[in-house]
Amino acid sequence: METAGVAWMWVSLGLRAPAVLRSSKQRPLWLAVLGAAAALTLHLPWFIDLLHQATGPTHLTALARNLFGVLTSAAVLDFMLLAVRGRHTYALYGLAGLVMVLLVWLDTAAGPHLQHAIPPVSHPMPSTSYWAVLIAVNLSTNVVCVVACWRYSRASQDRSLRVGLRLFGLGAAFAGVYWLLSAAYVGVRYSWIPALSPLLLGCYALARASAIFVPLGTAVAVAVRRMRILWQLWPLWRDLVNAVPDVSLTQTHQRGLALLQRSGPLDLRLYRIVIEIRDAILDLRAHIPHAVLTEVRDHLEREGAPSAEEDARVTACWLRIARSIKAEGTPPLRGDLTAPVIGGADLPGEIEFLRKVAKADTSPQIRRIAAHLSHSTEKH
């Protein structure tokens, strides 16, 4: 779990690095996670073994790990205060520097030692004072972080921000429990406490890495959803554009190319497709007598069409009829040809309505009714 968490931390840091280079507001959080990743990497037994094979056994690896942890605590507090006050608190880094100097002094003043640990028996290494300072700094930072993340996540209206804050706070909670148990282990040497450490640190790493990954994950989810909508609307758009070619800016006859073409951002392509579908609907309305619209609705009511999707099914049906009539070369009608104003009140509502129309357009029932009424209209 710990190794997986650390690996996910480094992956998330790498994926978020380009955005951090463009945004100074995201750097404190990114740097805080970077420090945590460095500290946890130096906590992995197999990584420590590799270092010691190259440099020989030394306690400096553990000292560097703890110094990274203190620096990370300062970066976390700076991030939290930046979010609240809107400006950096550089004094925190000065305070962190003093704590780091204190830890180095306590480490140097202690007797010879090869590791920083609390053994099952005997005194903590390098000293109890060293561990008291280290635990106090990390525990207090994580408590503040948990409280602040929970408070501001509840107040935020942005779902992505709420998720990110709660994941970040969850990571702080796991770290806080780790340091709290470390404090307890100094006084009572229960064997189950160190056994839990890798699990707690692994969960901490996974939560922290996921927190900084939220913006990118949200962007990916939005892009996937837009591609899914484009995929659903494409058959309806294709049929309407074939019937009314003038409404389309470009012609794309293959469904995959419609999604993969790099003619603009996904949201712009989706917006354009919605407009072109609506323009085609307005054009095709001129080929449908008002009486046909009434017949379509009557047929669907007799066959028990779901009321929640009635408007979408009616629209899909008369569009099929209108395409058939126009394909026969029948000129547009005259008179009151006002198109039914059906759909959403905004773009998301319009997209949702057109998705229902596209789904209804593939229904065997709609195709049968449209074919029947098209035949009747042509005979009339």
Side-chain angles (χ1 to χ4, degrees), residues 7-343:
W8 178 227
M9 270 185 143
W10 287 113
V11 170
S12 297
L13 287 165
L15 293 174
R16 294 294 294 148
V20 170
L21 293 175
R22 297 190 298 268
S23 174
S24 59
K25 292 183 178 180
Q26 297 183 36
R27 287 173 196 161
L29 175 61
W30 189 85
L31 289 172
V33 178
L34 176 63
L40 284 177
T41 301
L42 293 174
H43 194 271
L44 296 172
W46 60 267
F47 188 81
I48 294 174
D49 290 341
L50 289 177
L51 282 180
H52 287 177
Q53 288 177 15
T55 63
T58 174
H59 72 284
L60 295 179
T61 302
L63 178 62
R65 176 182 71 226
N66 294 330
L67 295 181
F68 272 124
V70 172
L71 190 60
T72 298
S73 296
V76 168
L77 287 179
D78 183 32
F79 160 69
M80 299 306 304
L81 292 175
L82 175 65
V84 176
R85 300 166 57 188
R87 64 178 184 272
H88 289 284
T89 308
Y90 293 109
L92 288 170
Y93 295 98
L95 181 60
L98 292 176
V99 173
M100 292 165 72
V101 170
L102 177 59
L103 289 176
V104 171
W105 179 77
L106 289 172
D107 178 76
T108 305
H113 55 281
L114 288 177
Q115 56 182 334
H116 289 197
I118 305 173
V121 293
S122 185
H123 298 290
M125 296 182 292
S127 67
T128 303
S129 300
Y130 178 94
W131 277 94
V133 172
L134 186 64
I135 291 171
V137 169
N138 284 284
L139 184 58
S140 59
T141 300
N142 285 293
V143 169
V144 171
C145 185
V146 169
V147 173
C149 286
W150 175 250
R151 176 182 175 185
Y152 288 100
S153 67
R154 293 181 66 187
S156 175
Q157 301 299 316
D158 187 302
R159 182 180 179 184
S160 177
L161 180 58
R162 286 201 309 273
V163 172
L165 284 173
R166 289 180 180 180
L167 283 171
F168 199 79
L170 181 64
F174 282 119
V177 172
Y178 167 80
W179 288 111
L180 185 62
L181 290 178
S182 297
Y185 193 62
V186 173
V188 289
R189 307 299 171 87
Y190 294 128
S191 60
W192 58 266
I193 292 179
L196 281 178
S197 295
L199 177 62
L200 291 171
L201 292 177
C203 292
Y204 159 75
L206 289 171
R208 279 285 164 88
S210 299
I212 66 167
F213 188 75
V214 165
L216 181 59
T218 300
V220 170
V222 169
V224 169
R225 183 176 184 276
R226 286 174 179 164
M227 290 187 69
R228 181 168 173 263
I229 293 172
L230 282 169
W231 182 268
Q232 292 170 336
L233 293 182
W234 187 88
L236 178 66
W237 172 83
R238 176 202 58 199
D239 292 342
L240 294 181
V241 163
N242 287 339
V244 191
D246 294 340
V247 303
S248 178
L249 180 65
T250 59
Q251 293 287 339
T252 304
H253 299 288
Q254 298 182 25
R255 193 172 190 173
L257 291 178
L259 297 175
L260 298 176
Q261 63 181 350
R262 306 182 71 86
S263 58
L266 277 172
D267 53 350
L268 181 60
R269 275 181 271 172
L270 181 58
Y271 184 61
R272 195 188 77 209
I273 283 181
V274 170
I275 291 175
E276 290 175 359
I277 290 175
R278 268 302 180 184
D279 287 346
I281 289 174
L282 292 173
D283 182 280
L284 291 171
R285 175 64 184 91
H287 295 271
I288 289 288
H290 187 75
V292 173
L293 297 177
T294 304
E295 287 187 58
V296 169
R297 195 172 293 276
D298 290 343
H299 270 75
L300 289 173
E301 288 178 356
R302 287 197 299 270
E303 297 197 14
S307 58
E309 301 179 2
E310 181 180 358
D311 290 339
R313 296 172 71 85
V314 169
T315 302
C317 192
W318 73 256
L319 282 174
R320 277 191 166 273
I321 298 170
R323 296 202 302 268
S324 177
I325 293 174
K326 185 171 183 178
E328 295 293 328
T330 306
L333 302 172
R334 296 179 180 275
D336 182 14
L337 301 174
T338 304
V341 182
I342 298 173

